[in-house]
Amino acid sequence: MRIIAARFNHETNTFSPVKTLLESFAPLYGEEALAFGTGSATAFGAFVDHALAQDADLITPLCATADPSGPAPRDAFEALAAPIIAAVRDGCDAILLDLHGAMVAEGIDDCEGALLARLREAAPDVPIGVALDLHGNVTERMIANCDCIAGFKTYPHIDMRATGDHVLRMMDKILSGAPKPNMAMVHAPILAQTLKMNTEVAGIMTDLIAMAREAEAQDGVEAVTVFGGFPLSDIADAGVSVVVVAQSAVMARAVAGDLAAAAWRGREGFVYHEEPLKASLARARSAAEAPGNGPVLMLDHGDNCMSGGTCDTVGVLQGALAAGMAGIVAGPICDPEVVAQMTRAGEGNAVTVELGNKVPLPGFAPTRPLALSGTVSFARPGRYVVSGPIYTGQTCDMGRAAVLEVEGATVLVTERPHEPWDLGVFACAGVDPVAARYLILKSRMYCRPVFEPLSRAVVECASAGITSSNLGLFDFQKVVRPVYPLDPEMEWAPPGK
C-alpha cells in the first residue's frame, strides 16, 4: 500500500505585522520529513509510525510548520503545497494530512480548503484523512474535499498524536472496504476568545468537549469535533463550528446541529472580559503575599507568540517595575537589536538598552521602548529540547539570546519570537524561573502544562498587543456579520432547528 503523509501547519493572524516567509516554515522534505515524524508527538507522527508498522510504501513529501504570524505570501503557500500535490499525482492508496485549519495566504483565505480541492482533483477516488487544530476555521470546502476529519479536543494541545490515531482508525475502516462515512458541519456565528477555550478548567468549551465525547460513543458516530476557531483570522468562515463523521448523513447533521445549538446557548461563555492592567498587577502583588510556593505566573496574553504576537511589547514588565514589584523574571522578549547590543557588550558587562515596542502594530497607538540599565549575564545561542508534554523531544531555537539583570528583574531577550513551551527556555540561558517571585510570560495557554503546576497563582494580564483578547480593538472586514459578540443582539438557530 502506498501512503502519503504530510504536515503543513500555520495559524494566521490576519492583523499581525509579523512576516511569514517560506523559511518561517522550516520545511523538511522526503527523508528529513520522515525523520521528524518518526516518534513525533504530533498527528503526523502517528501517521508515520502507523505506516511504518504496516510496512507500507510511505511517502513523506513535506513537514512544514510556522509559528502564528501574518498571512503567508502566495508563492510560499504554492511552494509548500507543490510537493504534496506532486506526490499524489504519482499515485497512492491513501492520503494522511496534519493541517491546522486556519491558514491564510495572500489571495487565499482558506489554504486548507484550496490544498484539499487540488488533491481531490488529482486523486478523485483516493481516501483523504485530515487532522486539524482545535482552533481551525473549518470551511465547507474542506469538508467537501476529504473523507474524514478529526480535531484536537484539548487546549493546551496535548492530544495531537491521539488525534492522528483517531484519523487512522477511520481511514483503516475505509481502506479495509467499509463504505466511506458521511460528514456534516454546522458553523455557529461565534467568535470565541481563545482564553475561553481552555479545556483544563470548567466552562463552555469543556462542556462541549464532554458532549462531543458522549456523542462519539453512539453507534454509527465515528468522530465529533468542536472547533473553537481562531478569531483573529479575519475571513468569512472564522469562528465556532462542529464537524461530525458518521455512517449516516442524517445522524451526522443531527449531532452537528445539536452541539452547535449548545454552543449558541452558551455563547456568553466564549467572551473574555479583560480587567485593567493596573488591577491585574494589584492581584499579582496580593497573590505573592499569600501562602504558597513558586512564582506568581503573569500571562501577557495581549502579545502571545502562538497567536501571532510580536513578542516585543513591554507594557506588563514596565507596569510591574513602575509598581515597585521585584524578583521578576520576564521573557522571552523579542528584540534583535538589543540582543546584538548585549552580545557586543559581552557577559559580565554593564549596558543600557531601549527594549521592545519597536514593531508598529496596525490600529494601535505607537509606544516608546523601555529604557533599562543593567548587567549582561548571558549572551549565547538560545537552544533547548522540549521536555513535554507539548512537542516533547523537539529542539527549539530562539536565535541568539541574552539575559539582562536590572534592579528588580531578570529579562530574557531573544532574536526570534518564541513561545515559552518549557523550563528549557530559561534554563538554557542560566535562569531559574521557578525561583522568581513574579514570572512574566508572553503566553496564553501553551506555557500552562509546565509552568502552572510550579506556580502559586496565575494572573492574566491584558496588554495592548496584536493578540489582545478584546475583539473590539480589531477592524474586522471579511467575517460574515452578524456574528457574536461583535453583534450581541443577533439571533440564530442551526439549520433545521
Side-chain angles (χ1 to χ4, degrees), residues 62-91:
L62 179 73
C63 178
T65 305
D67 285 345
S69 48
R74 176 69 174 260
D75 58 0
F77 169 76
E78 298 293 351
L80 295 172
I84 305 175
I85 297 167
V88 169
R89 284 181 176 151
D90 284 342

PDB file of all heavy atoms in Angstrom, residues 62-91:
ATOM      1  N   LEU A  62       6.360  16.392   2.711  1.00  0.00           N
ATOM      2  CA  LEU A  62       6.537  17.685   3.376  1.00  0.00           C
ATOM      3  C   LEU A  62       6.227  17.574   4.861  1.00  0.00           C
ATOM      4  O   LEU A  62       5.270  16.916   5.265  1.00  0.00           O
ATOM      5  CB  LEU A  62       5.608  18.735   2.763  1.00  0.00           C
ATOM      6  CG  LEU A  62       5.673  20.139   3.395  1.00  0.00           C
ATOM      7  CD1 LEU A  62       6.966  20.859   3.005  1.00  0.00           C
ATOM      8  CD2 LEU A  62       4.471  20.980   3.006  1.00  0.00           C
ATOM      9  N   CYS A  63       7.053  18.247   5.658  1.00  0.00           N
ATOM     10  CA  CYS A  63       6.734  18.544   7.056  1.00  0.00           C
ATOM     11  C   CYS A  63       7.131  19.991   7.269  1.00  0.00           C
ATOM     12  O   CYS A  63       8.318  20.325   7.253  1.00  0.00           O
ATOM     13  CB  CYS A  63       7.492  17.618   7.998  1.00  0.00           C
ATOM     14  SG  CYS A  63       7.196  17.970   9.742  1.00  0.00           S
ATOM     15  N   ALA A  64       6.143  20.875   7.431  1.00  0.00           N
ATOM     16  CA  ALA A  64       6.419  22.312   7.500  1.00  0.00           C
ATOM     17  C   ALA A  64       5.464  22.972   8.479  1.00  0.00           C
ATOM     18  O   ALA A  64       4.248  22.829   8.362  1.00  0.00           O
ATOM     19  CB  ALA A  64       6.270  22.950   6.114  1.00  0.00           C
ATOM     20  N   THR A  65       6.014  23.691   9.433  1.00  0.00           N
ATOM     21  CA  THR A  65       5.216  24.375  10.446  1.00  0.00           C
ATOM     22  C   THR A  65       5.826  25.735  10.728  1.00  0.00           C
ATOM     23  O   THR A  65       7.031  25.832  10.976  1.00  0.00           O
ATOM     24  CB  THR A  65       5.158  23.572  11.758  1.00  0.00           C
ATOM     25  OG1 THR A  65       4.669  22.258  11.489  1.00  0.00           O
ATOM     26  CG2 THR A  65       4.252  24.241  12.764  1.00  0.00           C
ATOM     27  N   ALA A  66       4.997  26.777  10.712  1.00  0.00           N
ATOM     28  CA  ALA A  66       5.446  28.119  11.082  1.00  0.00           C
ATOM     29  C   ALA A  66       4.659  28.578  12.300  1.00  0.00           C
ATOM     30  O   ALA A  66       3.469  28.272  12.438  1.00  0.00           O
ATOM     31  CB  ALA A  66       5.231  29.099   9.927  1.00  0.00           C
ATOM     32  N   ASP A  67       5.320  29.307  13.188  1.00  0.00           N
ATOM     33  CA  ASP A  67       4.602  29.905  14.304  1.00  0.00           C
ATOM     34  C   ASP A  67       3.541  30.863  13.779  1.00  0.00           C
ATOM     35  O   ASP A  67       3.694  31.451  12.700  1.00  0.00           O
ATOM     36  CB  ASP A  67       5.567  30.679  15.209  1.00  0.00           C
ATOM     37  CG  ASP A  67       6.407  29.764  16.075  1.00  0.00           C
ATOM     38  OD1 ASP A  67       6.066  28.575  16.196  1.00  0.00           O
ATOM     39  OD2 ASP A  67       7.410  30.249  16.635  1.00  0.00           O
ATOM     40  N   PRO A  68       2.444  31.058  14.528  1.00  0.00           N
ATOM     41  CA  PRO A  68       1.409  32.003  14.093  1.00  0.00           C
ATOM     42  C   PRO A  68       1.995  33.377  13.786  1.00  0.00           C
ATOM     43  O   PRO A  68       2.869  33.876  14.496  1.00  0.00           O
ATOM     44  CB  PRO A  68       0.465  32.050  15.297  1.00  0.00           C
ATOM     45  CG  PRO A  68       0.605  30.691  15.905  1.00  0.00           C
ATOM     46  CD  PRO A  68       2.064  30.356  15.763  1.00  0.00           C
ATOM     47  N   SER A  69       1.495  33.971  12.725  1.00  0.00           N
ATOM     48  CA  SER A  69       2.001  35.258  12.246  1.00  0.00           C
ATOM     49  C   SER A  69       1.036  35.768  11.186  1.00  0.00           C
ATOM     50  O   SER A  69      -0.085  35.262  11.058  1.00  0.00           O
ATOM     51  CB  SER A  69       3.421  35.091  11.677  1.00  0.00           C
ATOM     52  OG  SER A  69       3.495  33.990  10.789  1.00  0.00           O
ATOM     53  N   GLY A  70       1.455  36.772  10.416  1.00  0.00           N
ATOM     54  CA  GLY A  70       0.596  37.344   9.400  1.00  0.00           C
ATOM     55  C   GLY A  70       0.405  36.409   8.212  1.00  0.00           C
ATOM     56  O   GLY A  70       1.000  35.333   8.142  1.00  0.00           O
ATOM     57  N   PRO A  71      -0.451  36.799   7.254  1.00  0.00           N
ATOM     58  CA  PRO A  71      -0.711  35.954   6.085  1.00  0.00           C
ATOM     59  C   PRO A  71       0.570  35.590   5.347  1.00  0.00           C
ATOM     60  O   PRO A  71       1.482  36.416   5.190  1.00  0.00           O
ATOM     61  CB  PRO A  71      -1.625  36.820   5.210  1.00  0.00           C
ATOM     62  CG  PRO A  71      -2.325  37.712   6.190  1.00  0.00           C
ATOM     63  CD  PRO A  71      -1.294  38.023   7.242  1.00  0.00           C
ATOM     64  N   ALA A  72       0.639  34.345   4.878  1.00  0.00           N
ATOM     65  CA  ALA A  72       1.806  33.882   4.135  1.00  0.00           C
ATOM     66  C   ALA A  72       1.779  34.446   2.720  1.00  0.00           C
ATOM     67  O   ALA A  72       0.709  34.655   2.146  1.00  0.00           O
ATOM     68  CB  ALA A  72       1.819  32.359   4.085  1.00  0.00           C
ATOM     69  N   PRO A  73       2.928  34.693   2.117  1.00  0.00           N
ATOM     70  CA  PRO A  73       2.947  35.074   0.707  1.00  0.00           C
ATOM     71  C   PRO A  73       2.347  33.949  -0.140  1.00  0.00           C
ATOM     72  O   PRO A  73       2.494  32.768   0.181  1.00  0.00           O
ATOM     73  CB  PRO A  73       4.438  35.266   0.406  1.00  0.00           C
ATOM     74  CG  PRO A  73       5.098  35.432   1.733  1.00  0.00           C
ATOM     75  CD  PRO A  73       4.282  34.646   2.698  1.00  0.00           C
ATOM     76  N   ARG A  74       1.701  34.320  -1.222  1.00  0.00           N
ATOM     77  CA  ARG A  74       1.091  33.322  -2.095  1.00  0.00           C
ATOM     78  C   ARG A  74       2.133  32.323  -2.601  1.00  0.00           C
ATOM     79  O   ARG A  74       1.880  31.106  -2.653  1.00  0.00           O
ATOM     80  CB  ARG A  74       0.417  34.045  -3.275  1.00  0.00           C
ATOM     81  CG  ARG A  74      -0.193  33.133  -4.354  1.00  0.00           C
ATOM     82  CD  ARG A  74      -1.403  32.390  -3.837  1.00  0.00           C
ATOM     83  NE  ARG A  74      -2.065  31.627  -4.879  1.00  0.00           N
ATOM     84  CZ  ARG A  74      -3.158  32.021  -5.535  1.00  0.00           C
ATOM     85  NH1 ARG A  74      -3.718  33.189  -5.256  1.00  0.00           N
ATOM     86  NH2 ARG A  74      -3.715  31.260  -6.450  1.00  0.00           N
ATOM     87  N   ASP A  75       3.307  32.823  -2.946  1.00  0.00           N
ATOM     88  CA  ASP A  75       4.305  31.910  -3.505  1.00  0.00           C
ATOM     89  C   ASP A  75       4.833  30.934  -2.462  1.00  0.00           C
ATOM     90  O   ASP A  75       5.239  29.813  -2.793  1.00  0.00           O
ATOM     91  CB  ASP A  75       5.447  32.673  -4.185  1.00  0.00           C
ATOM     92  CG  ASP A  75       6.179  33.632  -3.266  1.00  0.00           C
ATOM     93  OD1 ASP A  75       5.818  33.735  -2.075  1.00  0.00           O
ATOM     94  OD2 ASP A  75       7.125  34.292  -3.729  1.00  0.00           O
ATOM     95  N   ALA A  76       4.816  31.304  -1.174  1.00  0.00           N
ATOM     96  CA  ALA A  76       5.227  30.367  -0.125  1.00  0.00           C
ATOM     97  C   ALA A  76       4.216  29.237  -0.012  1.00  0.00           C
ATOM     98  O   ALA A  76       4.597  28.053   0.095  1.00  0.00           O
ATOM     99  CB  ALA A  76       5.375  31.090   1.210  1.00  0.00           C
ATOM    100  N   PHE A  77       2.927  29.582  -0.040  1.00  0.00           N
ATOM    101  CA  PHE A  77       1.905  28.530   0.002  1.00  0.00           C
ATOM    102  C   PHE A  77       2.047  27.598  -1.195  1.00  0.00           C
ATOM    103  O   PHE A  77       2.003  26.371  -1.052  1.00  0.00           O
ATOM    104  CB  PHE A  77       0.506  29.144   0.020  1.00  0.00           C
ATOM    105  CG  PHE A  77      -0.582  28.125  -0.206  1.00  0.00           C
ATOM    106  CD1 PHE A  77      -0.966  27.261   0.804  1.00  0.00           C
ATOM    107  CD2 PHE A  77      -1.205  28.028  -1.443  1.00  0.00           C
ATOM    108  CE1 PHE A  77      -1.948  26.301   0.593  1.00  0.00           C
ATOM    109  CE2 PHE A  77      -2.198  27.073  -1.671  1.00  0.00           C
ATOM    110  CZ  PHE A  77      -2.564  26.210  -0.647  1.00  0.00           C
ATOM    111  N   GLU A  78       2.215  28.163  -2.370  1.00  0.00           N
ATOM    112  CA  GLU A  78       2.315  27.344  -3.577  1.00  0.00           C
ATOM    113  C   GLU A  78       3.540  26.437  -3.527  1.00  0.00           C
ATOM    114  O   GLU A  78       3.483  25.261  -3.916  1.00  0.00           O
ATOM    115  CB  GLU A  78       2.369  28.238  -4.816  1.00  0.00           C
ATOM    116  CG  GLU A  78       1.138  29.112  -5.035  1.00  0.00           C
ATOM    117  CD  GLU A  78      -0.115  28.313  -5.374  1.00  0.00           C
ATOM    118  OE1 GLU A  78      -0.003  27.090  -5.613  1.00  0.00           O
ATOM    119  OE2 GLU A  78      -1.210  28.900  -5.391  1.00  0.00           O
ATOM    120  N   ALA A  79       4.657  26.977  -3.032  1.00  0.00           N
ATOM    121  CA  ALA A  79       5.894  26.184  -2.979  1.00  0.00           C
ATOM    122  C   ALA A  79       5.753  25.007  -2.025  1.00  0.00           C
ATOM    123  O   ALA A  79       6.309  23.927  -2.282  1.00  0.00           O
ATOM    124  CB  ALA A  79       7.053  27.077  -2.552  1.00  0.00           C
ATOM    125  N   LEU A  80       5.015  25.189  -0.929  1.00  0.00           N
ATOM    126  CA  LEU A  80       4.877  24.119   0.047  1.00  0.00           C
ATOM    127  C   LEU A  80       3.772  23.136  -0.329  1.00  0.00           C
ATOM    128  O   LEU A  80       3.853  21.939   0.003  1.00  0.00           O
ATOM    129  CB  LEU A  80       4.617  24.721   1.430  1.00  0.00           C
ATOM    130  CG  LEU A  80       5.792  25.545   1.988  1.00  0.00           C
ATOM    131  CD1 LEU A  80       5.389  26.268   3.249  1.00  0.00           C
ATOM    132  CD2 LEU A  80       7.002  24.652   2.248  1.00  0.00           C
ATOM    133  N   ALA A  81       2.753  23.613  -1.010  1.00  0.00           N
ATOM    134  CA  ALA A  81       1.689  22.710  -1.462  1.00  0.00           C
ATOM    135  C   ALA A  81       2.178  21.815  -2.602  1.00  0.00           C
ATOM    136  O   ALA A  81       1.738  20.658  -2.734  1.00  0.00           O
ATOM    137  CB  ALA A  81       0.468  23.513  -1.912  1.00  0.00           C
ATOM    138  N   ALA A  82       3.098  22.325  -3.416  1.00  0.00           N
ATOM    139  CA  ALA A  82       3.511  21.631  -4.642  1.00  0.00           C
ATOM    140  C   ALA A  82       4.027  20.215  -4.407  1.00  0.00           C
ATOM    141  O   ALA A  82       3.622  19.289  -5.120  1.00  0.00           O
ATOM    142  CB  ALA A  82       4.555  22.472  -5.384  1.00  0.00           C
ATOM    143  N   PRO A  83       4.929  19.969  -3.451  1.00  0.00           N
ATOM    144  CA  PRO A  83       5.429  18.593  -3.304  1.00  0.00           C
ATOM    145  C   PRO A  83       4.353  17.604  -2.861  1.00  0.00           C
ATOM    146  O   PRO A  83       4.412  16.426  -3.225  1.00  0.00           O
ATOM    147  CB  PRO A  83       6.541  18.723  -2.265  1.00  0.00           C
ATOM    148  CG  PRO A  83       6.311  20.021  -1.582  1.00  0.00           C
ATOM    149  CD  PRO A  83       5.654  20.897  -2.570  1.00  0.00           C
ATOM    150  N   ILE A  84       3.366  18.058  -2.093  1.00  0.00           N
ATOM    151  CA  ILE A  84       2.276  17.159  -1.689  1.00  0.00           C
ATOM    152  C   ILE A  84       1.447  16.789  -2.915  1.00  0.00           C
ATOM    153  O   ILE A  84       1.130  15.616  -3.157  1.00  0.00           O
ATOM    154  CB  ILE A  84       1.384  17.821  -0.618  1.00  0.00           C
ATOM    155  CG1 ILE A  84       2.207  18.289   0.579  1.00  0.00           C
ATOM    156  CG2 ILE A  84       0.293  16.852  -0.168  1.00  0.00           C
ATOM    157  CD1 ILE A  84       1.417  19.058   1.616  1.00  0.00           C
ATOM    158  N   ILE A  85       1.109  17.794  -3.713  1.00  0.00           N
ATOM    159  CA  ILE A  85       0.295  17.558  -4.909  1.00  0.00           C
ATOM    160  C   ILE A  85       1.049  16.667  -5.898  1.00  0.00           C
ATOM    161  O   ILE A  85       0.474  15.738  -6.485  1.00  0.00           O
ATOM    162  CB  ILE A  85      -0.095  18.905  -5.549  1.00  0.00           C
ATOM    163  CG1 ILE A  85      -0.974  19.714  -4.587  1.00  0.00           C
ATOM    164  CG2 ILE A  85      -0.825  18.685  -6.873  1.00  0.00           C
ATOM    165  CD1 ILE A  85      -1.155  21.165  -4.977  1.00  0.00           C
ATOM    166  N   ALA A  86       2.333  16.924  -6.065  1.00  0.00           N
ATOM    167  CA  ALA A  86       3.128  16.117  -6.998  1.00  0.00           C
ATOM    168  C   ALA A  86       3.179  14.660  -6.554  1.00  0.00           C
ATOM    169  O   ALA A  86       3.080  13.739  -7.383  1.00  0.00           O
ATOM    170  CB  ALA A  86       4.542  16.690  -7.105  1.00  0.00           C
ATOM    171  N   ALA A  87       3.330  14.429  -5.255  1.00  0.00           N
ATOM    172  CA  ALA A  87       3.377  13.058  -4.754  1.00  0.00           C
ATOM    173  C   ALA A  87       2.065  12.338  -5.004  1.00  0.00           C
ATOM    174  O   ALA A  87       2.042  11.163  -5.395  1.00  0.00           O
ATOM    175  CB  ALA A  87       3.709  13.059  -3.264  1.00  0.00           C
ATOM    176  N   VAL A  88       0.947  13.044  -4.813  1.00  0.00           N
ATOM    177  CA  VAL A  88      -0.369  12.442  -5.038  1.00  0.00           C
ATOM    178  C   VAL A  88      -0.566  12.127  -6.520  1.00  0.00           C
ATOM    179  O   VAL A  88      -1.121  11.078  -6.878  1.00  0.00           O
ATOM    180  CB  VAL A  88      -1.481  13.371  -4.499  1.00  0.00           C
ATOM    181  CG1 VAL A  88      -2.857  12.904  -4.956  1.00  0.00           C
ATOM    182  CG2 VAL A  88      -1.419  13.436  -2.974  1.00  0.00           C
ATOM    183  N   ARG A  89      -0.104  13.001  -7.375  1.00  0.00           N
ATOM    184  CA  ARG A  89      -0.248  12.762  -8.816  1.00  0.00           C
ATOM    185  C   ARG A  89       0.537  11.538  -9.275  1.00  0.00           C
ATOM    186  O   ARG A  89       0.194  10.912 -10.276  1.00  0.00           O
ATOM    187  CB  ARG A  89       0.192  14.009  -9.588  1.00  0.00           C
ATOM    188  CG  ARG A  89      -0.834  15.131  -9.539  1.00  0.00           C
ATOM    189  CD  ARG A  89      -0.398  16.335 -10.321  1.00  0.00           C
ATOM    190  NE  ARG A  89      -1.447  17.349 -10.337  1.00  0.00           N
ATOM    191  CZ  ARG A  89      -1.237  18.658 -10.424  1.00  0.00           C
ATOM    192  NH1 ARG A  89       0.010  19.110 -10.524  1.00  0.00           N
ATOM    193  NH2 ARG A  89      -2.245  19.506 -10.425  1.00  0.00           N
ATOM    194  N   ASP A  90       1.569  11.180  -8.518  1.00  0.00           N
ATOM    195  CA  ASP A  90       2.346   9.987  -8.869  1.00  0.00           C
ATOM    196  C   ASP A  90       1.621   8.697  -8.494  1.00  0.00           C
ATOM    197  O   ASP A  90       2.075   7.615  -8.846  1.00  0.00           O
ATOM    198  CB  ASP A  90       3.708  10.024  -8.167  1.00  0.00           C
ATOM    199  CG  ASP A  90       4.664  11.005  -8.829  1.00  0.00           C
ATOM    200  OD1 ASP A  90       4.417  11.389  -9.987  1.00  0.00           O
ATOM    201  OD2 ASP A  90       5.658  11.396  -8.175  1.00  0.00           O
ATOM    202  N   GLY A  91       0.506   8.860  -7.772  1.00  0.00           N
ATOM    203  CA  GLY A  91      -0.300   7.701  -7.412  1.00  0.00           C
ATOM    204  C   GLY A  91      -0.142   7.288  -5.962  1.00  0.00           C
ATOM    205  O   GLY A  91       0.966   7.344  -5.415  1.00  0.00           O
TER     206      GLY A  91
END
